[in-house]
């Protein structure tokens, strides 16, 4: 009896599938698969506002690790290439307004012996050179876009004091803050096309762009996973502010998700990022906030600007000279070799 029941169930299923298959075949005769001309003109395709992130420049750091060499001249080439890529990628999307978001570590720290050895110049001269480079970067973009705004948060490496906190009074005692405020003074007599967004919290700063809340931070205390970002969003939600997207840097390695984007570093890989086992290239991110609420993020690779022939913005070389004699006394270069084992 069980065997007959099993056979009947199988037969019923076979009949159902046969009828379903025949019904599908019958439908094919009534469907017209010939392609017809059609228009695809979505609504609300306005250009929107682009956030051009500038982060982890470490402009006074000398880097010489496998695959990455960096100094002021290389930084100038990479910034020039970045500006070109920004203009090329945004002009075709009808963007006429950009926000330059400086998210920290424009200079490197000098609190460790290794950092002192890796400095391209003293930090006061470096701050002046950094200001000059960013001034040219801003001017370059302002020559193309109708309106440019500049915002910033402070990073951990650019601090003046040895210790790092999230107190505003400490975070403004920072070369990132000094560079921003100097730039603001340099552009005060310019036309209204360049404006500076000042007065916010310099650890975490929220901008509302086309109805979306964008949080700027350096990323020092976020950790290298999404959990830190989730906790940060929860903190702001408790204050009644919903963060839709956040951008930061700090880890020298790009990582783009649906709700946040971590930028790579202008300086590229260094001893810090390699110590974290990150395989990275010099890169920066562009974030486009469309009028219809869409958020798009682009990673711009600037690693090979020198090899590609970029000349860079002109810098005062006498200010960027490095005391090589002192370095050679304390620093002994170690060759990077690969040990081969053969059978």
């Amino acid at each position: 009896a069980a065997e007959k029941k099993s056979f009947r169930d199988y037969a019923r299923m076979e009949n159902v599938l046969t009828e379903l298959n025949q019904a599908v075949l019958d439908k094919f005769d009534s469907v017209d698969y010939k392609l017809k001309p059609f228009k695809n003109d979505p609504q609300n395709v306005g250009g929107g506002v682009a956030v051009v992130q500038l982060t982890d420049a470490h402009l006074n750091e000398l880097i010489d690790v496998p695959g990455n060499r960096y100094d002021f001249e290389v930084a100038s080439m990479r910034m020039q290439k970045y500006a070109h890529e920004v203009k090329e990628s945004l002009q075709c999307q009808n963007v006429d307004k950009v926000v330059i978001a400086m998210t920290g570590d424009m200079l490197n720290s000098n609190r460790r012996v290794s950092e002192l050895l890796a400095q391209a110049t003293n930090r006061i001269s470096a701050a002046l050179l950094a200001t000059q480079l960013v001034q040219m970067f801003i001017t370059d973009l302002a020559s193309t876009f109708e309106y440019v705004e500049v915002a910033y948060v402070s990073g951990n490496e650019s601090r003046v004091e040895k210790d790092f906190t999230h107190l505003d009074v400490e975070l403004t005692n920072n070369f990132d803050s000094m560079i921003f405020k100097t730039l603001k003074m340099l552009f005060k007599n310019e036309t209204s096309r360049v404006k500076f967004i000042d007065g916010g919290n310099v650890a975490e700063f929220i901008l509302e762009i086309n109805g979306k809340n964008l949080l700027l931070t350096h990323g020092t205390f976020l950790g290298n996973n999404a959990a830190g970002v989730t906790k940060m969003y929860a903190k702001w939600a408790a204050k009644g502010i919903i963060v839709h997207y956040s951008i930061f840097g700090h880890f020298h390695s790009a990582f783009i998700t649906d709700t946040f984007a971590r930028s790579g570093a202008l300086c590229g890989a260094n001893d810090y990022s390699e110590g974290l086992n990150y395989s990275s290239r010099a890169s920066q991110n562009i974030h486009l906030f469309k009028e219809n609420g869409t958020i798009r993020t682009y990673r711009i690779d600037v690693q090979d600007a020198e090899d590609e022939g970029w000349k860079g913005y002109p810098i005062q070389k006498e200010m960027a000279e490095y005391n090589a004699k002192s370095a050679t006394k304390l620093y002994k270069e170690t060759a990077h070799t690969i040990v081969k084992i053969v059978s």
Side-chain angles (χ1 to χ4, degrees), residues 56 58 61-65 68 105 108-109 111-112 114-115 118 156-157 159 218-224 248-253 262-265 267-280:
D56 294 276
H58 292 250
E61 183 174 1
L62 288 172
I63 300 175
D64 191 4
V65 298
N68 189 38
D105 283 4
N108 198 40
S109 172
R111 68 191 186 279
R112 307 181 187 95
S114 60
E115 290 166 337
N156 62 304
E157 292 292 341
R159 62 187 182 270
H218 179 62
T220 310
F221 298 115
L222 289 181
N224 59 356
F248 52 93
H250 184 61
F251 292 96
H252 296 216
S253 178
R262 185 179 72 211
S263 175
C267 69
N270 63 0
D271 290 332
Y272 170 73
S273 61
E274 293 214 331
L276 294 175
N277 291 326
Y278 282 133
S279 178
S280 60

Side-chain angles (χ1 to χ4, degrees), residues 102-155:
M102 300 164 58
T103 55
D105 283 4
M106 295 302 293
L107 298 187
N108 198 40
S109 172
N110 65 353
R111 68 191 186 279
R112 307 181 187 95
V113 174
S114 60
E115 290 166 337
L116 286 168
L117 291 175
Q119 283 191 174
T121 184
N122 71 71
R123 294 223 285 175
I124 295 299
S125 296
L128 295 174
L129 277 168
T131 302
Q132 185 183 45
L133 280 177
V134 180
Q135 179 189 19
M136 288 184 281
F137 179 77
I138 294 171
T139 303
D140 196 351
L141 294 185
S143 68
T144 297
F145 298 101
E146 291 297 322
Y147 198 72
V148 176
E149 291 187 321
V150 185
Y152 90 106
V153 289
S154 289

Side-chain angles (χ1 to χ4, degrees), residues 295-307:
I295 302 173
R296 298 176 183 170
T297 293
Y298 308 83
R299 173 189 169 275
I300 305 297
D301 190 307
V302 296
Q303 178 73 48
D304 299 320
E306 184 177 13
D307 295 336

